Structure formats: C-alpha cells, structure tokens
Amino acid sequence: MDFKHAVQNSFADIIQEYQFSVIKVNEDEIMLLHPNYALTIWKSREGIDIYYLFLNRLEKVKITNFLFSRYEKNLLANILPANNLADKISNGLLIHSRGLRKYFPELLTGKTKWIGSFKNNHFYNEPRVISKDEMTAYQSGIQNEI
C-alpha cells in the first residue's frame, strides 16, 4: 500500500477545499500542511492516528481518540469489516476524512476554538515536540510554498 496515495485519495476533497500541501514525512507518516497548522496521519499495526501540529510552537498532540469521541455512528455507513491491516488503514482514513469534514470544519479552516473542548476531554494529552522527520517535512513544505 502506498500510504501517501491512500491519504491523498481519502482526503482529496479536504486537501483541495482547505488547500493543504501533502508531504511524505516517512513511510508511515503523511503531513497535511496548512498555512496555520498541520495534521499528520500516521499508520501503525493498529490502524491510523492523527496528530495536530502547532506550527507556532513546533509541538504536536494526538487527537485520534478525541475525534472518534465526537463522531456519530452514521460515519460507519458503508464501511466493510477490516480483514487485514490495509483494510483497517483504509477504513480509518475514510472514517476520519468523513468525520473531520462533518464534525470539525473549524479545525480544518485553522480555527482553534475546538482546543478548549479537547483540553476538557478525557482523551487530552500534553503536546510534545515534533520529530526531526516532521521538522524536515515541514521545512520542505514551507520551501515549496515560497
């Protein structure tokens, strides 16, 4: 599975509407770079995780479980059971692309009002410094914008 291609396909409408640059961080992580923030989508043996990157502080926070806690069950319509990891990743990408679009349009535009709800949620976790790979991807993304 070409992970970057899978992310681009699943998030195509979001990428176009919110003018994200798509950057491959490494084999397991794709960055959706917006002028005000970035989302990274990371694949693992369990599926995918989504991180929100605060570009002004160069920190990231895992928001996967917080996002899932706000999604409604109707997002699972037409999702086939996952029989393998590739299916699980594809399902996760589809669910998150639907969920972000429907339940978090303000996040996608770069507004930060949602962070208050996140901080008061039991899935809140402290931000941590972005990785060297993420820093390199971010810097290359900025260079390509110039």
Side-chain angles (χ1 to χ4, degrees):
M1 165 190 266
D2 180 342
F3 189 51
K4 182 177 180 184
H5 185 69
V7 170
Q8 287 173 310
N9 284 344
S10 295
F11 284 78
D13 292 343
I14 289 173
I15 291 166
Q16 182 177 357
E17 182 175 343
Y18 297 97
Q19 301 177 339
F20 283 106
S21 297
V22 181
I23 304 162
K24 182 177 179 177
V25 176
N26 56 46
E27 293 301 318
D28 298 323
E29 187 174 11
I30 303 300
M31 179 181 288
L32 300 179
L33 181 61
H34 184 273
N36 303 324
Y37 71 98
L39 294 175
T40 61
I41 303 169
W42 183 76
K43 72 173 179 171
S44 70
R45 292 186 298 261
E46 285 80 46
I48 66 164
D49 281 313
I50 298 185
Y51 291 83
Y52 183 90
L53 277 65
F54 299 93
L55 299 178
N56 59 337
R57 301 189 315 239
L58 298 176
E59 293 179 327
K60 68 180 179 181
V61 65
K62 183 178 170 182
I63 60 173
T64 313
N65 293 331
F66 171 70
L67 297 175
F68 268 128
S69 74
R70 299 299 172 109
Y71 297 164
E72 294 179 4
K73 292 188 191 310
N74 63 355
L75 287 180
L76 301 177
N78 302 319
I79 301 287
L80 300 174
N83 296 318
N84 55 49
L85 182 56
D87 289 348
K88 195 171 187 177
I89 289 168
S90 294
N91 286 351
L93 291 172
L94 182 59
I95 291 166
H96 281 295
S97 67
R98 288 177 181 176
L100 283 165
R101 187 175 217 24
K102 184 171 183 176
Y103 298 103
F104 291 96
E106 73 285 354
L107 183 155
L108 294 172
T109 62
K111 295 179 182 160
T112 56
K113 189 175 180 181
W114 65 274
I115 293 172
S117 296
F118 175 59
K119 285 183 175 180
N120 292 321
N121 187 283
H122 66 279
F123 291 115
Y124 177 73
N125 55 94
E126 290 294 324
R128 61 181 193 239
V129 176
I130 65 174
S131 71
K132 289 180 183 178
D133 286 349
E134 290 163 335
M135 176 62 87
T136 300
Y138 167 61
Q139 289 172 336
S140 75
I142 295 300
Q143 291 298 325
N144 290 336
E145 294 292 314
I146 297 174

